[in-house]
Structure formats: structure tokens, C-alpha cells
């Protein structure tokens, strides 16, 4: 199949492009490079031994999208492009709604006009808010999001569902990612955050490499076994493979489907630190800090639906996630710079 990948030079997108090329799909990537580097294209091509087309294009640019879609008859779109910094979204909500929501509406109109009505969307466990049940199944009601980024995902799920309801030619797969970490086992691709990392694993790896003095642990008084927040970390390569399975579902005209992509196992912040130390051999100094606004105690998935219906199951455990995050960071202390 020929797949349009938006945001395909970003962290999850680039790992997914590797998996798509590895099994013989043709890939067309668009990315506005707001949070990625052009050299990722060369690295992906080097790792896979295959070429793909890349356009520096913004999903809000209808003319640009039309040019790409005129040049390539694509069968499906995997839509990663979006802004994702939770704190920034609180400070600049309109930037997030414009980029993520207006951008996606624009993309859907362009796809529809070119008769591509198949889309896989990067959603997030954040749509569950403070979840009503643990582990979280897809039946769990969506909740109150604590920031505009989260709302943009929740609203986009609604927009995509409404689009499919109005026109049954659409096939829409909403993938709710839990916490992606890890990197390509080659150590040549990984997460490369700008500035001070917001997320746990990139912060830990930057402490390990000596860029930051110590990790701040945001709260140790949650109702969890050791008091620190519990999350469902998932290896980015497993996550990428989930998109391949979603593509199989799309090619069988699945209609509208929603899947959690997680491992089903939660780890606390301190357990992640311990596993990272074991995998890397590097000690991570940390300090207990106040809770971070908007955080919840526990979030982990019930991934049974994806296993049953897509035949997808995460293969890597926390040790491999830590090992590969460290492999990437230690081989590339300054990321893609
Ligand atoms: P990322 O920032 O590494 O990748 C997103 C890519 O989209 C970047 O390359 C960026 O340059 C591009 N982009 C952003 N806005 C664009 C626009 N208007 N037009 C074209 N390109 C644009 O992020 P990621 O971690 O790879 O996340 C991919 C998707 O998955 C995002 O939609 C994100 O919200 C979602 N998601 C991520 C996580 C996570 O923890 N990483 C969790 C749940 C969901
Ligand atoms: N944490 C720390 N110190 C840090 C960073 C994080 O203690 O420096 C803790 C948090 O308090 C939380 C856990 O580590 O308990 C994980 O935090 P992350 O920021 O890595 O991840 P979140 O679960 O808060 O959120 C992430 C993404 C969201 C996404 C969500 C679910 O940032 O965008 O996963 O997919 F919606």
C-alpha cells in the first residue's frame, strides 16, 4: 500500500516509517519540521535500505496537501502530526487548537477530496482523564482532560467519529497510546526533545549523560505502592508495530475502531529509575518534589482488545525500554544535533 505519514520525521512517526518500509509499503511523509530534523529521513533510509518521499509541508496548508495528494495516490493516512507539550498547551491553547484541530480538519478535507478515506490517528490515554477504572479498557468513559493538548486529542476523536458516521466510506482507527519510551535498537533513532524534557524517560537519560544534575520525582504521596506515579510505558518499536496491525484492519474495511496500545503493566517512577540503573549501569540521583499540576496517580491499560482483534501485543519489557533509551542517548548525547 502507499501510506501518507504526517509527522513522519518525529519520534513515533519515524519508528513507524521504519516498520512500514521494512514490510514493503510505499511511504510518503509530510512534516513541517517544527519538532523534527530533516536528517531523520537519511537515517531511516539507511536503517531500512529503502527510500521514501518527503515533503516539508504543514497540515494546515491546503494547497501544499493538495500538491502532495495530486502527486501520490495514497491508500491510507497515518496521522502523527501535532503539537504535544502539555505545559505549553496550557499557556498557548489557541496554538494547540489551531495546529492540532484546524490542521486535522484541513487534512481530512484534503484526504476526502482525493478519495482517501482511511486514517489511523495518534490519540492518547490522556482522553480518559482521571480514569474511572484501572486497568483502563476502551469501554472506560472518556474523562475531563486537564489541559488543552488533552482536549485537542479528545475533540479530534469526536471529529473523526462524526466524519465516519456521516460517511461510511471512511475507516478510522483511533489508537490511544499509553507512555511511549525507548528507541530504535540500532541506537540511531530516538526521542530528541527541545529544551528541558517534560517527560520522565528523556529526563532520566539526560541525568545519566550528565546534562542534568538530578531527577525531580513529582510527588511520593500518591495512593500507589511506593507513593510515586504509576504509568504504562511502552517501547516505541512495539507502538510502531501496532500501526502496522491497524493498517491490516483498515484494509479489511473496519469502520470506526478504538484501541489502547499499552503493555497492561504499570511501573512507578522509582521502579523506572531502578530499571534504568540496572539496564545502564548508571546511578540516577533524584529528589522528591511536590506533585506536578494535572498529574494522576495511576494509569495503565487493559490491552486485551488490541491482542484479540488486531493480533497485536507489546513484546518488549521495561528493561529493553530502558536499555534502548540509554543506547540512543549515550550514542547521541545531543540527540540529532
Ligand atoms: P513528535 O513531536 O516527535 O512528532 C510530531 C511530528 O509532527 C514532528 O515531527 C513535528 O515536526 C510534526 N508536526 C507538528 N505539527 C505539524 C503540522 N502542523 N504540520 C506538519 N507537521 C507537523 O511527537 P511524537 O511523540 O512522535 O508524537 C506523535 C503523535 O502521537 C502526536 O500526535 C502526539 O500527540 C501523539 N502522542 C504522543 C505521545 C507521547 O508521549 N510521545 C503519547 C500519546 C500520543
Ligand atoms: N515524572 C517525574 N519527573 C519528571 C517527569 C515525570 O516524576 O521529571 C513523573 C510524572 O509525575 C508521572 C510519570 O513520571 O508520574 C510520567 O510522566 P510523563 O510526563 O513522562 O508522562 P505522563 O503520563 O504525564 O504523560 C504522557 C504524555 C502525555 C500523554 C500521556 C499518555 O506527556 O502527552 O503520557 O499517553 F497524554
Amino acid at each position: 500500500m502507499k501510506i501518507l505519514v504526517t509527522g513522519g520525521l518525529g519520534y513515533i512517526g519515524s519508528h513507524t516509517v521504519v516498520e512500514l518500509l521494512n514490510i514493503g509499503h510505499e511511504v510518503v511523509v509530510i512534516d513541517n519540521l517544527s519538532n523534527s530534523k530533516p536528517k531523520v529521513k537519511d537515517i531511516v533510509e539507511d536503517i531500512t535500505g529503502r527510500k521514501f518521499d518527503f515533503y516539508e509541508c504543514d497540515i494546515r496548508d491546503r494547497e501544499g496537501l493538495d500538491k502532495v495528494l495530486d502527486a501520490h495516490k495514497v491508500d491510507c493516512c497515518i496521522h502523527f502530526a501535532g503539537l504535544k507539550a502539555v505545559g505549553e498547551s496550557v499557556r498557548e491553547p489557541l496554538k494547540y487548537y489551531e495546529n492540532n484541530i484546524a490542521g486535522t480538519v484541513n487534512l481530512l478535507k484534503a484526504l476526502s477530496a482525493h478519495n482517501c478515506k482511511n486514517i489511523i490517528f495518534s490519540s492518547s490515554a490522556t482522553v480518559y482523564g482521571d480514569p474511572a477504572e484501572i486497568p483502563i479498557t476502551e469501554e472506560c468513559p472518556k474523562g475531563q482532560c486537564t489541559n488543552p493538548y488533552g482536549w485537542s486529542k479528545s475533540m479530534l476523536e469526536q471529529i473523526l467519529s462524526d466524519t465516519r458516521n456521516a460517511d461510511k466510506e471512511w475507516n478510522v482507527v483511533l489508537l490511544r497510546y499509553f507512555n511511549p519510551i525507548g528507541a530504535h535498537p540500532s541506537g540511531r533513532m530516538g526521542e530528541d526533545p527541545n529544551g528541558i524534557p517534560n517527560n520522565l524517560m528523556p529526563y532520566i537519560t539526560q541525568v545519566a549523560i550528565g546534562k542534568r544534575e538530578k531527577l525531580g520525582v513529582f510527588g511520593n504521596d500518591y495512593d500507589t505502592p511506593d507513593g510515586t506515579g504509576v504509568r504504562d510505558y511502552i517501547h516505541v518499536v512495539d507502538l510502531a508495530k501496532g500501526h502496522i496491525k491497524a493498517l491490516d484492519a483498515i484494509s479489511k474495511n473496519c469502520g470506526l475502531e478504538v484501541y489502547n496500545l499499552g503493555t497492561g503493566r504499570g511501573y512507578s517512577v522509582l521502579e523506572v529509575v531502578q530499571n534504568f540503573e540496572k539496564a545502564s549501569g548508571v546511578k540516577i540521583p533524584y529528589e522528591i518534589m511536590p506533585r506536578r499540576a494535572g498529574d494522576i496517580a495511576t494509569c495503565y491499560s487493559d490491552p486485551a482488545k488490541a491482542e484479540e482483534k488486531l493480533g497485536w501485543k507489546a513484546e518488549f519489557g521495561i528493561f529493553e525500554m530502558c536499555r534502548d533509551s540509554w543506547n540512543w542517548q549515550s550514542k547521541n548525547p545531543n540527540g540529532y544535533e
Side-chain angles (χ1 to χ4, degrees):
M1 282 199 271
K2 193 165 203 173
I3 316 296
L4 177 71
V5 182
T6 74
L9 297 191
Y11 173 47
I12 306 170
S14 58
H15 286 82
T16 303
V17 171
V18 166
E19 299 305 321
L20 288 167
L21 292 173
N22 276 344
I23 59 167
H25 291 297
E26 280 181 80
V27 173
V28 180
V29 165
I30 61 172
D31 198 304
N32 68 357
L33 302 176
S34 59
N35 198 31
S36 52
K37 303 275 185 319
K39 74 185 275 195
V40 173
K41 177 179 196 285
D42 303 330
I43 297 171
V44 168
E45 291 185 338
D46 216 39
I47 286 174
T48 59
R50 293 201 50 211
K51 300 269 179 210
F52 65 90
D53 291 298
F54 168 65
Y55 297 87
E56 184 174 343
C57 173
D58 195 296
I59 55 170
R60 291 165 296 177
D61 170 10
R62 178 63 195 265
E63 242 176 69
L65 291 178
D66 283 341
K67 269 194 203 142
V68 174
L69 292 167
D70 286 340
H72 300 275
K73 165 121 196 53
V74 300
D75 301 297
C76 181
C77 172
I78 308 185
H79 178 32
F80 295 101
L83 298 174
K84 62 164 186 178
V86 170
E88 185 187 52
S89 81
V90 174
R91 293 189 299 276
E92 296 184 70
L94 298 184
K95 178 174 169 185
Y96 274 67
Y97 290 129
E98 219 242 321
N99 193 82
N100 294 4
I101 298 198
T104 301
V105 170
N106 196 46
L107 173 70
L108 290 173
K109 283 159 74 179
L111 289 170
S112 182
H114 288 82
N115 218 18
C116 170
K117 296 187 179 177
N118 294 315
I119 189 163
I120 297 170
F121 175 63
S122 297
S123 189
S124 166
T126 196
V127 302
Y128 294 112
D130 196 352
E133 57 187 50
I134 293 281
I136 306 172
T137 68
E138 292 81 355
E139 302 300 310
C140 178
K142 285 166 72 176
Q144 290 293 315
C145 298
T146 53
N147 57 76
Y149 164 72
W151 282 120
S152 78
K153 291 291 171 194
S154 190
M155 290 178 201
L156 281 169
E157 286 199 352
Q158 188 65 47
I159 289 168
L160 284 156
S161 305
D162 292 342
T163 303
R164 149 75 192 169
N165 285 338
D167 177 355
K168 298 286 189 275
E169 284 180 8
W170 277 95
N171 292 298
V172 174
V173 180
L174 307 176
L175 297 179
R176 293 177 178 158
Y177 311 156
F178 281 68
N179 290 56
I181 59 170
H184 193 266
S186 63
R188 300 186 61 199
M189 286 166 48
E191 192 172 7
D192 184 17
N194 286 326
I196 303 171
N198 298 307
N199 299 114
L200 180 63
M201 184 52 79
Y203 206 104
I204 290 177
T205 61
Q206 291 198 6
V207 171
I209 201 81
K211 281 194 163 180
R212 318 230 163 248
E213 194 192 335
K214 60 185 168 197
L215 172 72
V217 174
F218 299 145
N220 67 348
D221 56 353
Y222 285 105
D223 184 16
T224 61
D226 66 18
T228 65
V230 169
R231 296 291 183 276
D232 185 344
Y233 298 93
I234 172 166
H235 197 294
V236 67
V237 171
D238 275 328
L239 192 65
K241 289 179 176 165
H243 296 74
I244 305 296
K245 297 293 188 181
L247 205 52
D248 294 344
I250 291 257
S251 63
K252 291 179 194 138
N253 289 320
C254 61
L256 173 71
E257 291 280 359
V258 187
Y259 293 102
N260 287 338
L261 295 184
T263 65
R265 164 81 154 89
Y267 288 91
S268 74
V269 175
L270 295 181
E271 283 178 311
V272 174
V273 169
Q274 284 153 15
N275 277 282
F276 184 86
E277 289 178 341
K278 221 189 299 166
S280 65
V282 183
K283 188 104 194 108
I284 303 298
Y286 67 83
E287 184 187 358
I288 305 297
M289 312 261 284
R291 290 182 178 194
R292 181 171 68 178
D295 271 356
I296 56 176
T298 304
C299 175
Y300 61 90
S301 68
D302 177 341
K305 185 180 174 196
E307 182 171 7
E308 192 188 312
K309 292 207 164 179
L310 294 179
W312 173 88
K313 193 173 188 281
E315 283 165 15
F316 294 114
I318 191 75
F319 180 85
E320 289 94 352
M321 298 181 216
C322 293
R323 178 198 64 196
D324 292 341
S325 290
W326 175 235
N327 186 35
W328 154 249
Q329 181 77 79
S330 54
K331 286 185 173 148
N332 308 272
N334 298 314
Y336 289 114
E337 285 293 304

